[in-house]
């Protein structure tokens, strides 16, 4: 009987081991607040009477920003609507009408590890004129351009981990936007929606790269594989610099971790974008590129403004 019990226990233990669920990596929780406009920009546009299209931009960004972070598949996202409701509940909890032991505490955003704030600090809405002297022709296109500052805040300390500037414009879509302009000159909702979706994606991809830098997951000859796909903003022809991580650096005054020392050891160019990962080929020298090293997108220089165009702000 004792022998039988031991056998049954062994069988149950082995079955439990086989039935055990796979370990699921916990995503980083992130709270996305409402997009705002800086006071100086808001006052300037009100004085000029040009705040209407900007309000449409803000509305569109607030509709798309959380979705952009969700599409990276890196985060559990707390939306602006949830934040508004939580803040209201926190304020009620601090009013003295609720037991302090059960009331939600200020700053505890459902366990959010990071908070993302976005402020639009630059906005231009103007007509661009191009004079083609040899063709005796002048063209006009409505251009919209806006810039934003995104802050990544550590929710546990309240300190800003990273602050990044973004600028986007429909300048490269001149022909399409020309057809989209209305008789009043305002950009259509579809053009504004396209710009704001691109801005939101750029912010989400950048924040994702700050928290989870792209890393090499495999190497065969000059071909390397890394953990980024199309839904992470990777495109054919993108150029990434490869960095080897060194010693972790600590601020001697505050004890704060400042990150790891990084040494540039090579460059890769994306040749294939797959559903789960991407492939690149090493360009130039290979100074020890290997699995686990960090990739950072190499920014393209901005093209200089053509001498043939004039700009007239509306």
């Amino acid at each position: 009987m004792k022998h039988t019990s031991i056998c049954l226990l062994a069988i149950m233990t082995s079955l439990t081991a086989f039935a055990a669920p796979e370990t699921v990596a916990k995503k980083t929780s992130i709270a996305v607040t409402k997009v705002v406009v800086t006071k100086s920009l808001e006052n300037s546009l009100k004085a000029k009477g040009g705040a209407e299209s900007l309000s449409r931009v803000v509305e569109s960004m607030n509709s798309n920003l959380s979705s952009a972070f969700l599409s990276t598949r890196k985060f559990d996202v707390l939306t602006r609507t949830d934040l508004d409701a939580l803040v209201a509940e926190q304020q009620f909890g601090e009013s003295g009408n609720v037991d302090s032991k059960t009331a939600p505490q200020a700053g505890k955003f459902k366990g959010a590890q990071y908070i993302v704030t976005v402020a639009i600090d630059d906005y231009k809405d103007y007509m661009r004129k191009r004079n083609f002297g040899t063709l005796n022709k002048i063209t006009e296109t409505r251009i919209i351009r806006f810039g934003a500052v995104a802050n990544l805040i550590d929710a546990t300390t309240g300190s800003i981990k990273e602050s990044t500037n973004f600028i986007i414009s429909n300048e490269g879509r001149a022909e399409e936007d020309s057809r989209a302009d209305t008789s009043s000159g305002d950009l259509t909702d579809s053009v504004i929606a396209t710009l704001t979706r691109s801005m939101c994606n750029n912010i989400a991809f950048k924040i994702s790269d700050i928290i989870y830098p792209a890393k090499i997951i495999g190497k065969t000859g000059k071909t390397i594989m890394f953990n980024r796909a199309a839904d992470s903003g990777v495109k054919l022809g993108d150029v990434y610099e490869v960095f080897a991580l060194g010693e972790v650096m600590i601020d001697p005054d505050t004890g704060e971790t400042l990150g790891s020392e990084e040494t540039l050891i090579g460059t890769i160019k994306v040749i294939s974008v797959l559903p789960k990962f991407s492939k690149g080929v090493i360009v130039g020298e290979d100074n020890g590129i290997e699995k686990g090293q960090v990739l950072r997108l190499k920014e393209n220089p901005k093209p200089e403004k053509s001498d043939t165009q004039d700009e007239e702000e509306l």
Side-chain angles (χ1 to χ4, degrees):
M1 183 70 178
K2 183 177 180 181
H3 178 71
T4 304
S5 299
I6 293 174
C7 290
L8 286 173
L9 180 60
I11 292 171
M12 291 175 66
T13 302
S14 62
L15 288 175
T16 302
F18 280 113
E22 295 182 3
T23 302
V24 178
K26 186 178 180 180
K27 295 181 179 179
T28 296
S29 56
I30 195 165
V32 181
T33 64
K34 182 180 179 180
V35 177
V36 299
V37 179
T38 60
K39 275 295 180 184
S40 58
L41 177 60
E42 185 178 17
N43 294 336
S44 174
L45 288 176
K46 283 182 178 179
K48 296 178 181 178
E52 182 180 350
S53 61
L54 176 57
S55 66
R56 294 158 68 188
V57 167
V58 173
E59 181 180 359
S60 183
M61 283 194 67
N62 278 321
S63 298
N64 286 282
L65 192 55
S66 294
S67 297
F69 276 97
L70 284 171
S71 70
T72 67
R73 297 184 295 182
K74 298 286 188 182
F75 305 105
D76 285 325
V77 181
L78 178 61
T79 66
R80 178 178 64 86
T81 302
D82 293 333
L83 278 172
D84 291 344
L86 185 58
V87 169
E89 182 66 18
Q90 289 171 346
Q91 290 173 344
F92 179 66
E94 293 172 351
S95 66
N97 297 317
V98 180
D99 187 342
S100 60
K101 294 181 180 179
T102 60
Q105 298 178 5
K108 301 297 184 181
F109 293 124
K110 289 186 179 178
Q113 295 164 267
Y114 295 100
I115 301 171
V116 176
T117 65
V118 178
I120 297 176
D121 64 347
D122 180 37
Y123 188 78
K124 298 291 183 182
D125 189 354
Y126 59 90
M127 294 297 298
R128 188 183 68 179
K129 297 180 181 180
R130 281 187 172 179
N131 186 357
F132 299 89
T134 56
L135 300 176
N136 195 26
K137 181 181 179 181
I138 297 176
T139 63
E140 292 187 355
T141 306
R142 187 68 172 270
I143 300 295
I144 189 169
R145 184 194 74 198
F146 66 97
V149 178
N151 289 326
L152 178 64
I153 301 171
D154 187 326
T156 59
T157 64
S159 62
I160 296 178
K161 181 178 178 66
E162 193 80 24
S163 183
T164 310
N165 293 285
F166 299 85
I167 296 178
I168 197 165
S169 171
N170 67 319
E171 192 168 2
R173 300 161 50 90
E175 185 177 346
E176 179 180 345
D177 289 344
S178 180
R179 294 195 299 267
D181 285 347
T182 63
S183 58
S184 64
D186 288 337
L187 290 171
T188 62
D189 287 338
S190 62
V191 175
I192 287 180
T194 298
L195 287 174
T196 53
R197 277 196 298 268
S198 294
M199 173 66 89
C200 290
N201 286 336
N202 291 344
I203 293 172
F205 295 152
K206 182 65 176 181
I207 296 295
S208 178
D209 280 342
I210 292 170
I211 299 176
Y212 297 110
K215 292 183 179 178
I216 296 175
I217 57 176
K219 179 184 179 185
T220 305
K222 283 187 169 292
T223 301
I224 69 102
M225 286 68 72
F226 63 102
N227 61 341
R228 287 291 187 273
D231 59 2
S232 298
V234 179
K235 300 182 292 296
L236 289 175
D238 279 351
V239 176
Y240 283 82
E241 293 178 323
V242 185
F243 294 89
L245 298 182
E247 183 181 358
V248 175
M249 297 177 290
I250 306 294
D251 189 312
D253 296 322
T254 65
E256 180 186 2
T257 300
L258 304 177
S260 299
E261 180 184 5
E262 297 185 355
T263 303
L264 177 64
I265 59 172
T267 304
I268 67 112
K269 184 176 182 180
V270 178
I271 58 172
S272 178
V273 181
L274 303 173
K276 297 291 186 179
F277 62 94
S278 296
K279 294 182 179 181
V281 62
I282 298 173
V283 179
E285 295 185 4
D286 179 353
N287 295 313
I289 296 175
E290 59 185 34
K291 183 177 178 180
Q293 291 171 342
V294 168
L295 302 178
R296 300 197 187 282
L297 182 64
K298 188 175 182 179
E299 302 292 343
N300 295 323
K302 295 179 182 179
E304 294 183 1
K305 179 180 170 182
S306 170
D307 293 334
T308 62
Q309 71 183 58
D310 296 319
E311 297 178 356
E312 179 182 342
E313 188 173 338
L314 298 178

